[in-house]
Amino acid sequence: MSHRFITELQEGDTLKQFFLLRRVEQRLTKGGKPYLDVELADRSGAIKGKVWEEALQKCPGPLAPCDFVAVTGSVEPYQGTPQLTLDFIDTVERLKAKGRPLKDFDPDLLISVTPHDRTRMWAELLELVQSHLRAPLRDLVLALLHKYQTQFIEWPGAQSYHHAYAGGLLEHTWSVARHAVHSLAIYPGLNGDLVLAGAILHDLGKIKELTGPPCAQRTVPGELLGHIVLGWEMIREEARVMNFPDEPLLRSLEHIIIAHHGTMEFGSPVIPRTPEALLVYYLDEIDSKLHMAQGHLESDGSEGDFTSYHRVLGRRLYRPPLPADPPENSPSDNS
Amino acid sequence: MSHRFITELQEGDTLKQFFLLRRVEQRLTKGGKPYLDVELADRSGAIKGKVWEEALQKCPGPLAPCDFVAVTGSVEPYQGTPQLTLDFIDTVERLKAKGRPLKDFDPDLLISVTPHDRTRMWAELLELVQSHLRAPLRDLVLALLHKYQTQFIEWPGAQSYHHAYAGGLLEHTWSVARHAVHSLAIYPGLNGDLVLAGAILHDLGKIKELTGPPCAQRTVPGELLGHIVLGWEMIREEARVMNFPDEPLLRSLEHIIIAHHGTMEFGSPVIPRTPEALLVYYLDEIDSKLHMAQGHLESDGSEGDFTSYHRVLGRRLYRPPLPADPPENSPSDNS
Amino acid sequence: MSHRFITELQEGDTLKQFFLLRRVEQRLTKGGKPYLDVELADRSGAIKGKVWEEALQKCPGPLAPCDFVAVTGSVEPYQGTPQLTLDFIDTVERLKAKGRPLKDFDPDLLISVTPHDRTRMWAELLELVQSHLRAPLRDLVLALLHKYQTQFIEWPGAQSYHHAYAGGLLEHTWSVARHAVHSLAIYPGLNGDLVLAGAILHDLGKIKELTGPPCAQRTVPGELLGHIVLGWEMIREEARVMNFPDEPLLRSLEHIIIAHHGTMEFGSPVIPRTPEALLVYYLDEIDSKLHMAQGHLESDGSEGDFTSYHRVLGRRLYRPPLPADPPENSPSDNS
Amino acid sequence: MSHRFITELQEGDTLKQFFLLRRVEQRLTKGGKPYLDVELADRSGAIKGKVWEEALQKCPGPLAPCDFVAVTGSVEPYQGTPQLTLDFIDTVERLKAKGRPLKDFDPDLLISVTPHDRTRMWAELLELVQSHLRAPLRDLVLALLHKYQTQFIEWPGAQSYHHAYAGGLLEHTWSVARHAVHSLAIYPGLNGDLVLAGAILHDLGKIKELTGPPCAQRTVPGELLGHIVLGWEMIREEARVMNFPDEPLLRSLEHIIIAHHGTMEFGSPVIPRTPEALLVYYLDEIDSKLHMAQGHLESDGSEGDFTSYHRVLGRRLYRPPLPADPPENSPSDNS
Amino acid sequence: MSHRFITELQEGDTLKQFFLLRRVEQRLTKGGKPYLDVELADRSGAIKGKVWEEALQKCPGPLAPCDFVAVTGSVEPYQGTPQLTLDFIDTVERLKAKGRPLKDFDPDLLISVTPHDRTRMWAELLELVQSHLRAPLRDLVLALLHKYQTQFIEWPGAQSYHHAYAGGLLEHTWSVARHAVHSLAIYPGLNGDLVLAGAILHDLGKIKELTGPPCAQRTVPGELLGHIVLGWEMIREEARVMNFPDEPLLRSLEHIIIAHHGTMEFGSPVIPRTPEALLVYYLDEIDSKLHMAQGHLESDGSEGDFTSYHRVLGRRLYRPPLPADPPENSPSDNS
Amino acid sequence: MSHRFITELQEGDTLKQFFLLRRVEQRLTKGGKPYLDVELADRSGAIKGKVWEEALQKCPGPLAPCDFVAVTGSVEPYQGTPQLTLDFIDTVERLKAKGRPLKDFDPDLLISVTPHDRTRMWAELLELVQSHLRAPLRDLVLALLHKYQTQFIEWPGAQSYHHAYAGGLLEHTWSVARHAVHSLAIYPGLNGDLVLAGAILHDLGKIKELTGPPCAQRTVPGELLGHIVLGWEMIREEARVMNFPDEPLLRSLEHIIIAHHGTMEFGSPVIPRTPEALLVYYLDEIDSKLHMAQGHLESDGSEGDFTSYHRVLGRRLYRPPLPADPPENSPSDNS
């Protein structure tokens, strides 16, 4: 039975398939019997569910957030929204260990990912390094991209709010780096190598700050030190290994990483002290804020001229009643 | 006698030429005699001077800041810096009224101007409108550019700190608008017409906020209302005149103007509520901050790894000891 | 059957009358059947209600917030509070279109209004203009009051928190203007014309920022530009029409409007630069804050020495156990 | 020889009269000889002076700020401003002790004072208490006014910035109290006794925070505790002495004193929790801010549409070119 | 029947015992019948309960928060947590008045208290005064400790967040005072008498700001004036009574009390102006913040490396997986 | 000729000795001749001086801040303060290279140093590590102390404001570490190893942020990255070298270093997340603030009850007129 996406489930459906377990809490019924309250997710969205006592007794082991699970059950209405009542739940890992057949299990169906083609973004990023960066920064950037290639392609860009899905780190980096090349055409007086290397490496530390898919969570070093410091160390280490030949250039790059949050109150221990660091800070800011704003405009379900309030942006956004289908020849085509 | 630029004056020189009078104050010597303490400027810089009692008595009328003046005098050392002692000073206006010959009087030598070619920038701006903007915003933008063409080309971009010279408004607008076209290549989901029109018109109100050359000073409406509000009114008026056909589109453009300082504490009565307004805010910010930073790096006379403190940026900037002559093929060439 | 006010409804009552529909949301029962969750209001307050499937099917068209509706139904307890169960609901507009008799429909019973007599306040405001304002500001103020008379009398003073009811704009303006006349007795060095004209016109832009009764909601221009800018334009336009003869006086008045929020972080693009603008700012502040505080003290249902927390004032207010019936001759009688 | 006011002194004048010594510093000439650099004041203003070695040797004792001094000397130009060169200086106190005749010594000529008639203000304040305040607050206010009558009439309202002269405390209190009576006509729902008593007593603690004339300086308790706390204690003490009969009323009054700076960051340990405390806070704010603004407009010597920058107000003020002589019948006449 | 602690109750238990009534609200069932929703507490924790109509009718009088009550009832599951259903409830006070036997009523079982031995803390505090404080501050401190001994031992340290239980004021003071003695060993240049007296008396005003056990609530003076001002007055009064002989020393102590919140925005009307006041501010801060942090680490029920979010500390805390049983000889043993 | 300290120089003295050159600027006389304006320092203080043209011509090479120099010259009065007129100046380095005898050259006389005995502080710090720290943190701390022993003993604690002299880093660390041991006696629930190791290592990065004596200046890495990040890397590196065995313990220590500025706006990229990090933050704060306050009270030359304004502390400090010679048995003796 092929996977049915959560957004397409209807009341009355029965199903037998896989999900990602996002949240799981043990509770008691009014009658004092234990049951589980769970949240299940796939690439399309999330749905709540219950595992009542009988099904719970058949579950052979503990369940934890971020487990892939196999379930059987049915879709039932609950307080006006559909919800799953589960007859069976177990982890993919345990089933695998028991030698159960897991055909149709495809994690890619369960994990939310960037809407962009990761292979293409990765190729474009490398191409951009090759054509616009010069040694020795090119060598440093390539060494780091190759060393962390797997994570760079898989990792989310943030725990929530923007690029919070697999491939988000790559998408954000790809976007900021391409913007950087464009900005350098306007500001030729800047050191392009520094701007571009800074744009590509600024969020490298996210790889250590966050766990990768299926669930982006902050690691202990992420909470205690933050991605700015962690990313800086990754670059320092690689520069030491490759015996980076230009100390002032390296210091300027390190400074971009350390200063890329722009102000101390947003977590940079020093503020940008070079035009290059200023530009990378702004390009990062633009990409994350526009991503949040555009994402909210697309996903917000409210009606009217304005969206619902976005907690991080601190505002409701305007949806102008513009023609749905703009003419072909839009300005961005010609740039 | 052709104009000698202030930066080239040497102690002992005598001169007879024109300057812009930047500051003038009446004072008393210890002996109780009146004299003038003045600051004179030309395109290259500024120098202080004194008009002692004798010369003062020959001056036939009042002097005010921003007057063009003719002077004769000599360069003398004063507390370690050269200064002018003036034998004669009068305004160009009065001399003209008296029919005196004013050959060699060339205001262009006296007023500091953008280092970029204004004719070329203006042409590029119009070309950019033609190729990237669509009606009806194209019509509105063109109408305003033509209506205010003279001022747009002459005006400074700010009273001080950045683009504070003739042509500064054009230079800043040209730079932000070109950057906008580039950014739209990265963010194709945005309404390019709005971003571009907003980028071009965001500082239009400066024309009413500031006096034009030779001296940028804040006008009374500029102090009491500010350029955000003044520029918005200029756009509203033109839209009324041309009977702008698309109300929501116009409102979105007006919003970009009103919101382009990004936050209320920096003087926008509302904060950006569209992705387009967010982007214009950031592009304006990037251009002014990079202009300040690069200008300070170039002009700051201090020695060492860091510049002197820049009051508006709130920091000293880093001057990395990078090779003076970078290789030809820099990244910004290829974008 | 005459209107029964919401505050007087009791469980078990059946009713057939009109309300203002404040909120309407489509939901599903646990059994998957659609129903409406609504909030109905009249001048005295608000009550929640349900329209179950059967009644819903009889409703011949869509319902939207701010519609006047006719309903039949009964009052039932729900989680400890009375609620309406509706057998029938339709809009007054559709019923009118169908030629149904609408006797007893009286919007004035349904819309919450200022507790003060609007006719009297309007007359007093005009009287105050006549006796205290001199030309040309008197002419400008009168022209604007007459041009916007209808809205001025109907509009709320704010979307919520203070004067958020029909006639609120008039009540607030009347109060601030009268206070201004009194303050001028203490500060005779101020330009009384400016203070008084500023006091009367400071919130004029609310007429474009908010929709009028029955429901005060922010308009698109209100959200995107704000009432400060909108009100300033209304005054500019009228001054142009009447060819206002005194430019500096007009600029000073415009400045009061633009600066009346007192600081940039509260949305004034410039801060008050004249004593007159400072005073209008403070008088506006006093009226809104005292209105909020006194309103909260009256309406707050909690017991004890302090009210519940007021979110906008950011505090709980003190209710001193003062004698309920103070002596006749209170200080305010003699002023 | 009668007193010559400082503002009328001219270069070349010789004089023999009394001043208030504002500042005195011992210095060395380039030749290593001691001299005094002093600042002398009278009611009209201040002037700098020098006491060279010879005159200094004749001075029989120490000099300290706030001493009244007798001097002889002449007015001479110094770096473009007139300055005094003193042949003789000694304190009035020592001269009196030596039995020297001190005819023409009149401290009232030397101390800057309120421009208003203090006898009249005091009478009006008492009259206002009698006619608008009721027992028991009237009794408390009268007791305090009588207890501190001398200081209340002599004291400055602040160390600098506003009402910083003899009688300033009275002038400020008189102004705020009269405004309070007017405001109560607009807000009859407030407890007028509390507002008026609070308005009169809010700055009582200044009497302990500052030294009185001739020089307002902060006392040690003023620096270490502040006038809010000191004034509150003065009221508490008097209430105890007179056995104030109404505890909640007293608490409400105490609260007005403690909260009258409006916010914690401006030094009130609690924020206003009653409408009465809010109003007194605003009336105090209005009086001090308008006093600063009007004073700056009057005294600022700069030319042009705007004054010089006022450090406390944080702005330059606008001087509209309004007709110098407004028509008789101004709005404030009729209130 | 002896007291069963709330943390030990199990579903199905029936009980007849005493509790502290923390909260009581009258509500209506869906059928329109009145019932009470209550929260009951003892030393170990709190539990919710219901008093249905029948039991309610038997309750002979009103119930209020902070009443001690006698109840009978049973423990039942409600939405997954145990709750009490009460057959009977009445106040201890009324039962006492009726002469009912109240054996087993022991308020100490019902009120949450400091985990430290109050007798020992009090003795240590007095011992510390005797051995480290010198006259005259020792006399003042002892007089105040004895005057307020009962409250000092009973009072909470704050209304919530830290030391919010009986004996909390003593525990906090004891801790800060002992820390002060230790800190003085590091900073011998400070006036030890002032530091120690300030440490002991800094929160004295809590006795008037809060009601004592069983429920810490803010009093009217506490809300309107705050504990800083109230405590200062208590010290002033005692110093007057004992005719404190050293004015500057007393002023310095008063200053420590007034300034102990460290900054104006946290409620000190003046900021610390002596090293002694700075140190007391920091020691108070350390004790309250560490108490909150350690308390949250102990009580927080969440799992994982980090606790749940602490609203006042504004962060989640880290729980390192350190060995549960550290070696004997820990560093703190040797200090 | 032995060194004469600057604080003891008198007008008319001639001298031939060594100084530290703090500042050197090339200037022109009014006659256009070059001269040097210099600031010279020794351990006792600083003095300004001039090198006129004649002496300048004899100086064989460039002079730079932080050079040790040999001079001959005389003390002369200048604008009321003594100043040096130098006949000869050259660097110690050049003289040494030329083989000139440099007897009497003793850098220790020229560099300002901690008033405490560095050998004793170092010994006490090591003793404290031995007796209070347990492996493995003891091993890590000892390895770092030994690795950086030379710098740790020589370095300043800050560039200015507090501990800005040779040995300042050691003095500050010694003080904070000793305080930590004392604080742990009050808070035994904390992990003492972490607190103590954090207290000792928190400012380790100053060794890379600042140049050592004779002049503390910020290095390029210090400006671009800051001491928090630099110190963290030094610890990480040593932990890697010694293969630190306890990862969570190491993370907790690293966190203390990264978080020790307490808030993000003061430069910590993350805020303290453990009680141990909170305590180290406060102890660092106490030591630097008390050092500034006590230093200002000692060195401030103003008279009266309050010092002059301290720019970093943002206040004037109180000097109570307490008895100069307190009794023997002060509280701090007994702790």
Side-chain angles (χ1 to χ4, degrees), chain B residues 28-32 220 223-224, chain D residues 11 77 79-80 305-306 316 318:
Chain B
L28 292 178
T29 63
K30 298 190 189 183
V220 169
E223 289 271 4
L224 295 185
Chain D
E11 282 171 31
Q79 295 179 348
D305 294 312
F306 291 85
R316 298 162 64 225
Y318 179 52

Side-chain angles (χ1 to χ4, degrees), chain E residues 184-202:
Chain E
L184 287 167
I186 307 299
Y187 300 105
L190 270 58
N191 182 314
D193 286 326
L194 274 174
V195 169
L196 197 46
I200 294 171
L201 300 178
H202 77 279

Side-chain angles (χ1 to χ4, degrees), chain E residues 12-310:
Chain E
D13 289 358
T14 61
L15 42 81
K16 173 175 178 172
Q17 66 182 45
F18 302 95
F19 287 112
L20 173 66
L21 183 65
R22 273 244 196 102
R23 186 177 51 74
V24 53
E25 284 165 28
Q26 182 130 4
R27 295 192 181 162
L28 291 179
T29 63
K30 297 191 190 183
K33 299 190 176 165
Y35 71 96
L36 296 182
D37 192 80
V38 299
E39 188 175 318
L40 300 167
D42 66 12
R43 204 171 73 192
S44 74
I47 189 168
K48 290 185 181 172
K50 301 262 188 282
V51 186
W52 302 115
E53 198 189 15
E54 224 167 313
L56 190 56
Q57 286 168 349
K58 289 182 295 187
C59 178
L63 299 167
C66 294
D67 282 345
F68 289 113
V69 291
V71 309
T72 64
S74 57
V75 184
E76 292 178 10
Y78 178 75
Q79 295 177 349
T81 12
Q83 201 179 72
L84 291 180
T85 297
L86 302 178
D87 307 319
F88 171 82
I89 185 166
D90 200 359
T91 66
V92 165
E93 201 176 6
R94 268 192 301 269
L95 293 173
K96 219 183 264 176
K98 289 175 189 169
R100 296 288 162 84
L102 292 167
K103 70 178 155 94
D104 298 333
F105 173 63
D106 178 0
D108 286 355
L109 294 172
L110 306 185
I111 300 170
S112 83
V113 295
T114 170
H116 296 269
D117 180 329
R118 286 188 270 177
T119 309
R120 185 174 64 79
M121 291 193 287
W122 182 254
E124 286 184 22
L125 192 61
L126 290 182
E127 159 59 22
L128 188 149
V129 171
Q130 294 294 359
S131 59
H132 290 88
L133 264 176
R134 296 169 302 167
L137 284 176
R138 185 186 52 220
D139 305 332
L140 178 62
V141 168
L142 283 177
L144 284 160
L145 287 181
H146 289 133
K147 182 173 182 181
Y148 295 106
Q149 175 168 356
T150 315
Q151 296 103 312
F152 218 103
I153 290 172
E154 287 300 324
W155 246 243
Q159 191 182 11
S160 42
Y161 304 132
H162 74 101
H163 302 95
Y165 42 63
L169 175 61
L170 174 58
E171 180 188 340
H172 174 56
T173 301
W174 166 75
S175 185
V176 172
R178 285 164 60 236
H179 204 180
V181 172
H182 277 276
S183 298
L184 287 167
I186 307 299
Y187 300 105
L190 270 58
N191 182 314
D193 286 326
L194 274 174
V195 169
L196 197 46
I200 294 171
L201 300 178
H202 77 279
D203 265 353
L204 184 65
K206 296 268 178 166
I207 288 171
K208 296 202 170 169
E209 185 186 48
L210 301 174
T211 61
C215 289
Q217 293 187 302
R218 305 192 102 211
T219 62
V220 170
E223 290 271 4
L224 295 185
L225 305 171
H227 74 275
I228 284 185
V229 152
L230 291 167
W232 172 69
E233 192 189 34
M234 291 157 81
I235 293 168
R236 293 275 293 164
E237 200 172 295
E238 192 60 31
R240 191 166 40 216
V241 167
M242 66 176 270
N243 205 9
F244 194 87
D246 184 339
E247 179 65 15
L249 189 65
L250 181 61
R251 278 301 181 203
S252 294
L253 174 65
E254 292 176 34
H255 173 66
I256 293 176
I257 308 308
I258 289 290
H260 87 266
H261 279 197
T263 59
M264 284 158 83
E265 52 270 49
F266 286 102
S268 273
V270 295
I271 56 175
R273 304 290 288 275
T274 58
E276 290 79 12
L278 273 170
L279 182 57
V280 172
Y281 154 60
Y282 282 120
L283 297 180
D284 178 25
E285 192 77 357
I286 288 173
D287 196 61
S288 54
K289 290 297 191 305
L290 287 187
H291 196 270
M292 270 191 257
Q294 292 187 287
H296 191 55
L297 280 164
E298 280 160 24
S299 69
D300 182 63
S302 72
E303 283 176 28
D305 295 312
F306 291 86
T307 64
S308 63
Y309 187 82
H310 187 285

Side-chain angles (χ1 to χ4, degrees), chain B residues 55-69:
Chain B
L56 189 55
Q57 286 169 347
K58 290 183 295 188
C59 180
L63 299 167
C66 293
D67 282 344
F68 289 114
V69 292

Side-chain angles (χ1 to χ4, degrees), chain A residues 191-248:
Chain A
N191 183 315
D193 286 326
L194 274 175
V195 169
L196 198 45
I200 294 170
L201 300 178
H202 77 281
D203 266 353
L204 185 64
K206 295 269 180 167
I207 288 171
K208 296 203 171 169
E209 185 186 47
L210 301 174
T211 61
C215 290
Q217 293 185 303
R218 305 192 103 212
T219 62
V220 169
E223 290 270 4
L224 294 186
L225 306 171
H227 74 275
I228 285 186
V229 153
L230 291 168
W232 172 69
E233 192 189 34
M234 291 157 81
I235 292 168
R236 293 274 295 162
E237 199 172 296
E238 192 59 32
R240 192 165 38 213
V241 166
M242 65 177 272
N243 203 8
F244 195 86
D246 185 337
E247 178 65 15

Side-chain angles (χ1 to χ4, degrees), chain C residues 150-161:
Chain C
T150 316
Q151 296 102 312
F152 218 104
I153 291 173
E154 287 300 325
W155 246 242
Q159 190 182 12
S160 44
Y161 304 132

